[in-house]
Amino acid sequence: MSATLHLKGGRERSLKRLHPWIFSGGVARVEGSPGPGDTVTVVGQNGKPLALAAYSPASQIRARIWTFDPDEEVGPDLLRRRLDRAISARSGLLDPRGAPRDACRLVNAESDGLPGLVVDRYGPHLVCQITFAGVERWRAELITALQEALPWASGIYERSDAAERSKEGLEPRCGLMSGEEPPELVEITEGPCRYLVDPRKGHKTGFYLDQRESRARVAALAQGAELLNCFCYSGGFGVAALQAGAARVLNLDSSANALELAQRNAELNGLPMERFETEEGDAFKALRRLPKDGRRFDLVVLDPPKFVKSRKALTRATRGYKDINLQGFRLLRPGGRLVTFSCSGLLAADLFQKIVADAALDAGVEAQLVGRMGPGPDHPVALPFPEGAYLKGLICRVAG
Ligand code: SAH
């Protein structure tokens, strides 16, 4: 007999809109004593079953919906159906024989009906990240389902070390889940570029796959341009731009390891290294210093880490965004473009645009919005789940 989660009055509404989260504040009481990840039947005030969810006693997000059909069974078959659906939706990106070094996201968590599960493909290697007690509960079944759904994969490596995991009361967990160990660095291709991905120690699962389309946009603007690639990580934007004919790239990051990988990525593409500069340091300081050194750029990419980690931190974080964008605008030549991102889910797209507008105002430049960017179709966002749309980017052109 499964446990039952009774919603407070009025809390059915978000479920009826197919939103997959139930916050602790929406729970009236829980019948039975479900452990982390156990399935609970969610009922409204009238006692009618509405959905089946996975329970997570340690988390503010107390339960996440597996299915809005209370008669569906939660278990290996449901996992397999969801995996098949996610994979077939990406069929163009998948054929291992056609494009052996392709990289893409195969499972995008809630938006693919698998809350807290990310599966990324780097060539024949899969990297999996579990950030929710619900998927963790079905870990063994998940591994089998992945092996069956992706028989061509050489192995599955786990990178469950994201910070969200601790909010679920789960310990970090990394290592081989099945099959063969990936090499230390996996080589992937993206458009005309090749990149090395570090599945063990790299950020996220090793690479910012969510910026694939934005790298192509920057490449399209790069011909003859001098680019500042700020918060460059492993050089993604810089490599794409130089490959596309940029005159020169300055890559800036606070991590020496990231910069070393950026260098290796530029070398891998046979790019002229004298035009691929790297600088280790704090972007907030470097952005202030560069104009004093007389540096100016035609393109400035700002792709910082998530500044807004909680609602409480929003005001402070907006200052951070304002500051880097202000400095970014100051570094542009007339007619130049600022390509600016925020990956903070808690910062709404319209507020981000307002911050960037204020930054231009304070920098004393007149600027137009000439493009918007976001992740590609392998990072779908389920329409009832706007929280899934964390990454937004703007291309702003300053007056010539
Ligand atoms: N643009 C990259 C992803 C950037 S991730 C890509 O497309 O792959 C954010 C990067 O910012 C990380 O590499 C991190 O090391 C760096 N970073 C974080 N804080 C920083 C700071 N204060 N100054 C400079 N770099 C910083």
Side-chain angles (χ1 to χ4, degrees), residues 203 208 215 231-233 237 253-255 281-284 303-305:
H203 293 183
Y208 288 85
R215 282 186 283 269
F231 305 98
C232 70
Y233 184 48
F237 285 101
D253 204 280
S254 55
S255 154
D282 177 19
F284 287 87
D303 185 21

Side-chain angles (χ1 to χ4, degrees), residues 101-326:
R101 291 198 173 125
D102 258 6
C104 74
R105 176 150 298 184
L106 298 179
V107 177
N108 197 31
E110 271 78 347
S111 292
D112 278 312
L114 290 162
L117 176 68
V118 157
V119 181
D120 287 339
R121 169 200 176 187
Y122 297 113
H125 307 281
L126 304 181
V127 183
C128 179
Q129 184 166 75
I130 298 173
T131 52
F132 175 49
V135 198
E136 185 77 22
R137 156 75 179 73
W138 298 99
R139 193 189 148 80
E141 292 80 359
L142 172 73
I143 296 172
T144 309
L146 280 169
Q147 288 165 335
E148 285 171 11
L150 301 158
W152 48 263
S154 63
I156 312 172
Y157 191 82
E158 178 168 21
R159 275 298 301 279
S160 298
D161 54 350
E164 299 101 284
R165 225 175 123 88
S166 64
K167 296 185 189 159
E168 293 288 318
L170 300 170
E171 295 291 319
R173 187 164 183 174
C174 296
L176 195 65
M177 275 181 145
S178 94
E180 287 168 29
E181 284 272 353
E184 200 179 325
L185 294 173
V186 180
E187 190 181 317
I188 59 159
T189 53
E190 185 183 276
C193 298
R194 295 151 72 186
Y195 293 103
L196 296 169
V197 173
D198 181 346
R200 289 177 187 76
K201 297 190 291 300
H203 293 183
K204 296 199 179 202
T205 61
F207 197 61
Y208 288 85
L209 287 172
D210 52 0
Q211 291 288 32
R212 181 196 313 110
E213 302 213 336
S214 304
R215 282 186 283 269
R217 293 283 286 276
V218 167
L221 298 170
Q223 179 68 44
E226 215 171 311
L227 166 73
L228 172 62
N229 184 19
C230 196
F231 305 98
C232 70
Y233 184 48
S234 58
F237 285 101
V239 167
L242 201 53
Q243 178 81 285
R248 198 177 178 78
V249 180
L250 171 56
N251 296 282
L252 199 90
D253 204 280
S254 55
S255 154
N257 288 339
L259 290 169
E260 197 187 307
L261 197 51
Q263 295 262 10
R264 290 190 63 176
N265 279 330
E267 281 161 14
L268 180 70
N269 287 275
L271 296 173
M273 298 309 287
E274 69 285 359
R275 285 159 49 200
F276 192 86
E277 266 181 272
T278 54
E279 181 181 321
E280 184 186 336
D282 177 19
F284 287 87
K285 292 194 182 120
L287 285 167
R288 281 193 167 68
R289 198 206 67 244
L290 285 166
K292 293 183 192 146
D293 295 350
R295 299 290 299 260
R296 288 289 181 279
F297 300 89
D298 307 295
L299 265 175
V300 171
V301 173
L302 299 173
D303 185 21
K306 186 160 90 179
F307 286 164
V308 191
K309 301 226 165 70
S310 66
R311 267 176 220 290
K312 270 192 292 191
L314 188 62
T315 315
R316 199 184 132 80
T318 55
R319 274 185 232 130
Y321 284 112
K322 165 87 177 287
D323 189 46
I324 57 169
N325 283 282
L326 167 60

